[in-house]
């Protein structure tokens, strides 16, 4: 995993740990989960963040429990990729939405199974609507959302390092099963 991504995760985790709540937040847990998924040993994360190994293990477990139970590896990977995209949407949605709109045009032009047309139309509506609703749909754990994620509408919004981290998170989330 890229050193820039590791540094960003460490900075995020440290900033959250310095807050009044001691870091027991979804974003703090996610930063720790990302560090672990990136291959960093628990003891090293604990040393980096100046906290106990038990705290790190608890944060990792909380992050795992926040993920939907998805049966298939490809569904877990797609969910993690969309989670990473959702984080970008929250930080800078304009670029992400622009890429998705270009991809939507491409998908509409390709000869596809007609059964996919409702998904394409739904994505178009979501992209034109409320960003919170878009993110909620992207990260829903139900079968319909899993079907929508199969269109890979956000291809091109993540760096290679971000994509690799998402795939590793999918594997780490499954490791608890």
């Amino acid at each position: 995993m890229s050193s820039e991504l590791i540094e960003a995760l460490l900075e995020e985790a440290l900033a959250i740990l310095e807050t009044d709540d001691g870091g027991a937040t979804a974003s703090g847990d996610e930063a720790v989960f990302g560090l672990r998924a990136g291959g960093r040993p628990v003891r090293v994360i604990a040393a980096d963040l100046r906290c106990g190994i038990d705290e790190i293990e608890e944060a990792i477990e909380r992050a795992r429990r926040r993920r939907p139970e998805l049966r298939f590896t490809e569904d877990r990977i797609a969910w993690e990729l969309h989670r990473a995209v959702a984080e970008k949407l929250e930080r800078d949605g304009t670029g992400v939405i622009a890429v998705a709109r270009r991809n939507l045009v491409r998908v509409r032009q390709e000869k596809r199974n007609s059964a996919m047309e409702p998904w394409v139309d739904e994505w178009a509506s979501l992209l034109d609507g409320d960003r919170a609703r878009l993110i909620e749909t992207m990260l829903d754990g139900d079968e319909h959302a899993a079907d929508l994620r199969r269109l890979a509408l956000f291809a091109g919004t993540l760096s290679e390092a971000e994509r690799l981290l998402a795939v590793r998170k999918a594997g780490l989330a499954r490791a608890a099963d």
Side-chain angles (χ1 to χ4, degrees):
M1 185 165 60
S2 79
S3 59
E4 295 90 22
L5 192 52
I6 290 172
E7 287 303 316
L9 289 168
L10 280 171
E11 285 178 30
E12 182 179 346
L14 281 168
I16 291 165
L17 286 172
E18 291 170 356
T19 63
D20 292 335
D21 65 8
T25 64
S27 55
D29 293 345
E30 192 58 34
V32 170
F33 191 75
L35 288 166
R36 183 66 191 109
R40 213 162 180 84
V42 170
R43 64 179 166 65
V44 173
I45 298 169
D48 288 342
L49 301 179
R50 298 178 297 280
C51 62
I53 289 173
D54 289 347
E55 291 175 76
I56 298 304
E57 289 173 340
E58 289 169 8
I60 291 167
E61 188 53 37
R62 284 191 303 268
R64 275 191 182 117
R65 285 193 305 265
R66 285 188 185 97
R67 283 156 165 74
E69 290 186 30
L70 300 169
R71 207 168 120 196
F72 300 107
T73 301
E74 51 275 359
D75 289 337
R76 284 191 303 277
I77 292 170
W79 188 89
E80 291 290 351
L81 289 167
H82 279 77
R83 187 182 195 297
V85 169
E87 289 175 3
K88 280 195 166 192
L89 266 169
E90 290 172 346
R91 287 191 311 266
D92 175 29
T94 307
V96 173
I97 296 292
V99 169
R101 287 186 199 283
R102 282 193 303 272
N103 288 338
L104 188 62
V105 168
R106 179 188 44 79
V107 167
R108 283 193 189 280
Q109 291 173 346
E110 291 176 358
K111 300 292 184 211
R112 293 234 176 213
N113 181 338
S114 62
M116 294 174 70
E117 284 304 313
W119 298 343
V120 172
D121 293 340
E122 185 171 350
W123 274 122
S125 175
L126 287 165
L127 289 172
D128 289 338
D130 178 61
R131 193 164 294 164
R133 175 77 175 116
L134 170 63
I135 291 171
E136 179 184 316
T137 301
M138 289 170 62
L139 300 180
D140 198 326
D142 70 9
E143 192 171 325
H144 178 70
D147 288 342
L148 286 171
R149 287 189 290 268
R150 287 188 182 98
L151 280 181
L153 196 61
F154 297 94
T157 59
L158 299 176
S159 69
E160 186 62 28
E162 291 166 327
R163 287 180 352 92
L164 180 57
L165 180 59
V167 171
R168 288 180 175 176
K169 283 181 175 182
L172 183 59
R174 178 69 177 165
D177 297 345

